[in-house]
Amino acid sequence: MKTQVAIIGAGPAGMLLCEILSQHGIDCVVLEKHSRAHVLERIRAGVLEQSTVELLRQYGLGQRMDQEGHVHDGMKIVWAGRESFFIDVKKHLGKQFMAYGQTNIQEDLFLAAEQRGAKVLTQVENLQLMNLTSTHPHVTFTHNGDASRLDCDFIAGCDGFHGVSRQSIPPHLREEFEKEYPFGWLGILSQTPPLRDITYANHPRGFALASMRSPTLSRYYIQVPTGTLCEEWSDDRFWSEIKSRFPKEMADEMVTGKSIEKSIAPLRSYVCETMRHGQLFLAGDAAHIVPPTGAKGLNLAVSDVFYLSRALTAFYRQGMTQLLDEYSETALRRVWSSVRISWYLTNLLHRFPGGSDFDQRAQEHELDYLKSSHHAQAALAEQYAGLAFESSSAPIT
Ligand code: FAS
Ligand code: PHB
């Protein structure tokens, strides 16, 4: 097989890149390890930055999002025994953000690919990236038991943190930055009406978050120690614990119900400081991971895809390599901005096992400052809502 761009991974990064390149007339093939059902079973992100919403609309992927998504003007922060406060993103920036599940986006992307007749191969195995530093790289894999080869001009590594793409870059060429947090998030999905606002709670028992997927579908999280197992947490225990971490008036508002999904996500910050090696370009979790506190993971995958698709389109349309050469540096500026705010919010809102009294006081006074200063709130709002994509450094037609 031959194509222009081989895309590894059918997550949001891979499928969005496939749709955008296809709309620009660039031939691509998506190679995915799992089945489509497996990809759709994963419950992950839920908050879309304005730039993500606008990009999805620009490529005709926003209809269902605009019908079923939930637009928010800001988010609430509550903390033990103190008055809550609302970070009003719309007031500070004139921007809003959207609560619309990653699962829905995946469904929308798979549907668009189907309608286009895009080539998406699932359940591929033993995938290997070859000749990355030549002008004719290729991918070998097995599909339906047959050994296969896909020749291409470029490879987009959209295969997530545990994929093969980043590992195909020689270790001495990868500058890696990593931070593991001593806790994870236990999340549940329940068919219950959610609280009105996305609400973050800092409590002596630990962090908690109330979010939603629709007016009848709630998403809740609580901080749990590293190594916690889902089976240790019955629904009743979860509801009693999360209620204990919110102010009483909000806990009384929470409508409890059976969990239809329950999972634990570890929290980590990670950046691979090269996002390119020869003809291989990394996008999304393949290149970076953020703790979900800032709701940035999915949005970063989208911004990488915006920059990479713009660079590939300029190459195929105008023979321009400048944006490809600048891709890694351009994408990493936004990656580090999101990595930093996610790290900041994780430190601000979680209780760190073994944290000192000093750490605790400093955290409380940071929260006090945030509550009392509209400058501090505007700065947080600007980064939570997401910075605009950088304009091109070169004239593209
Ligand atoms: P993905 O990991 O989504 O997709 C990569 C794809 O590549 C997968 O389908 C995988 O099967 C495939 N793949 C892997 N290896 C392969 C191989 N060798 N060959 C072929 N295919 C291969 N972000 C938020 O903003 N908010 C959240 O609340 C949130 N919660 C999360 C919870 C969990 C458990 C996880 C793991 C992540 C969460 N994230 C969250 C982040 C998440 O949304 C990611 O940022 C987003 O899925 C990134 O998309 P991709 O880069 O496409 O990677
Ligand atoms: C979610 O709805 O899944 C969600 C919302 C806000 C976050 C993280 C996850 O910061």
Side-chain angles (χ1 to χ4, degrees):
M1 289 192 292
K2 179 144 181 49
T3 188
Q4 290 173 306
V5 182
I7 299 173
I8 318 300
M15 292 304 290
L16 180 59
L17 182 62
C18 171
E19 181 59 22
I20 296 177
L21 293 181
S22 303
Q23 291 195 27
H24 287 295
I26 298 168
D27 191 60
C28 54
V29 175
V30 180
L31 303 173
E32 164 60 43
K33 177 167 80 170
H34 289 299
S35 69
R36 172 171 163 161
H38 180 97
V39 174
L40 290 173
E41 272 159 14
R42 297 184 302 224
I43 304 295
R44 288 184 171 172
V47 171
L48 308 183
E49 295 174 352
Q50 187 159 309
S51 43
T52 294
V53 168
E54 288 165 358
L55 193 69
L56 292 173
R57 286 176 183 149
Q58 179 186 343
Y59 286 97
L61 296 161
Q63 294 90 333
R64 185 176 165 218
M65 173 187 70
D66 287 325
Q67 284 160 7
E68 299 179 18
H70 202 134
V71 177
H72 289 265
D73 292 348
M75 73 286 188
K76 195 178 270 186
I77 293 180
V78 298
W79 45 327
R82 310 284 287 264
E83 199 186 338
S84 67
F85 57 100
F86 186 74
I87 305 284
D88 193 334
V89 172
K90 189 174 182 186
K91 179 185 80 176
H92 289 297
L93 294 159
K95 283 186 173 182
Q96 295 171 298
F97 53 87
M98 177 86 78
Y100 184 64
Q102 177 171 326
T103 307
N104 292 354
I105 294 176
Q106 286 274 189
E107 288 167 349
D108 301 343
L109 287 167
F110 275 125
L111 179 63
E114 216 167 76
Q115 289 167 342
R116 174 173 306 287
K119 294 182 280 295
V120 180
L121 301 187
T122 56
Q123 293 172 291
V124 308
E125 295 173 303
N126 313 312
L127 186 140
Q128 287 194 307
L129 311 185
M130 313 299 283
N131 295 340
L132 293 176
T133 53
S134 80
T135 50
H136 298 290
H138 67 273
V139 184
T140 61
F141 56 95
T142 48
H143 187 237
N144 297 333
D146 301 329
S148 307
R149 169 175 165 142
L150 176 62
D151 287 281
C152 51
D153 301 331
F154 300 100
I155 299 174
C158 303
D159 47 349
F161 187 66
H162 301 290
V164 297
S165 297
R166 186 179 70 253
Q167 304 303 334
S168 304
I169 301 175
H172 70 280
L173 295 177
R174 299 198 305 256
E175 197 169 2
E176 299 177 286
F177 301 81
E178 184 154 19
K179 181 178 187 58
E180 302 236 344
Y181 299 90
F183 39 72
W185 280 16
L186 167 60
I188 72 156
L189 209 52
S190 61
Q191 284 168 328
T192 54
L195 297 182
R196 190 170 58 97
D197 294 314
I198 290 176
T199 306
Y200 297 84
N202 173 315
H203 188 276
R205 295 178 67 87
F207 166 85
L209 169 61
S211 186
M212 72 284 297
R213 291 292 177 271
S214 77
T216 57
L217 199 54
S218 298
R219 180 74 169 157
Y220 288 101
Y221 299 93
I222 55 172
Q223 169 188 346
V224 290
T226 303
T228 299
L229 302 173
C230 268
E231 42 270 28
E232 295 166 5
W233 284 85
S234 68
D235 288 358
D236 290 348
R237 184 184 177 198
F238 180 90
W239 289 118
S240 151
E241 182 61 34
I242 195 162
K243 281 172 172 272
S244 73
R245 298 187 186 185
F246 278 85
K248 186 177 180 328
E249 69 277 8
M250 294 183 74
D252 292 346
E253 268 181 58
M254 275 183 194
V255 178
T256 64
K258 185 176 174 336
S259 63
I260 57 171
E261 191 271 351
K262 193 180 285 177
S263 54
I264 294 178
L267 267 63
R268 124 177 345 108
S269 298
Y270 171 87
V271 180
C272 176
E273 270 226 341
T274 183
M275 290 175 64
R276 177 189 189 175
H277 175 60
Q279 302 300 87
L280 167 65
F281 293 81
L282 303 181
D285 279 16
H288 42 71
I289 291 281
V290 285
T293 327
K296 292 298 172 198
L298 174 57
N299 294 293
L300 271 182
V302 171
S303 56
D304 291 348
V305 165
F306 169 76
Y307 292 129
L308 183 53
S309 59
R310 184 174 69 179
L312 288 166
T313 304
F315 172 79
Y316 282 110
R317 274 219 186 119
Q318 302 160 247
M320 185 203 292
T321 59
Q322 182 183 339
L323 295 185
L324 287 171
D325 296 340
E326 293 172 354
Y327 167 72
S328 190
E329 204 181 311
T330 305
L332 281 168
R333 277 194 290 273
R334 187 183 177 94
V335 165
W336 271 111
S337 164
S338 293
V339 163
R340 194 204 65 78
I341 190 64
S342 302
W343 164 79
Y344 165 79
L345 281 171
T346 301
N347 279 287
L348 179 69
L349 297 170
H350 290 74
R351 294 294 167 112
F352 283 69
S356 68
D357 293 345
F358 173 86
D359 296 338
Q360 191 49 42
R361 274 287 177 279
Q363 189 186 73
E364 285 164 8
H365 283 278
E366 174 68 16
L367 278 163
D368 245 343
Y369 170 58
L370 195 54
K371 179 172 182 301
S372 61
S373 162
H374 73 276
H375 297 295
Q377 291 189 20
L380 174 55
E382 180 180 43
Q383 298 191 77
Y384 190 90
L387 306 177
F389 296 144
E390 290 182 21
S391 54
S392 165
S393 61
I396 49 177
T397 53

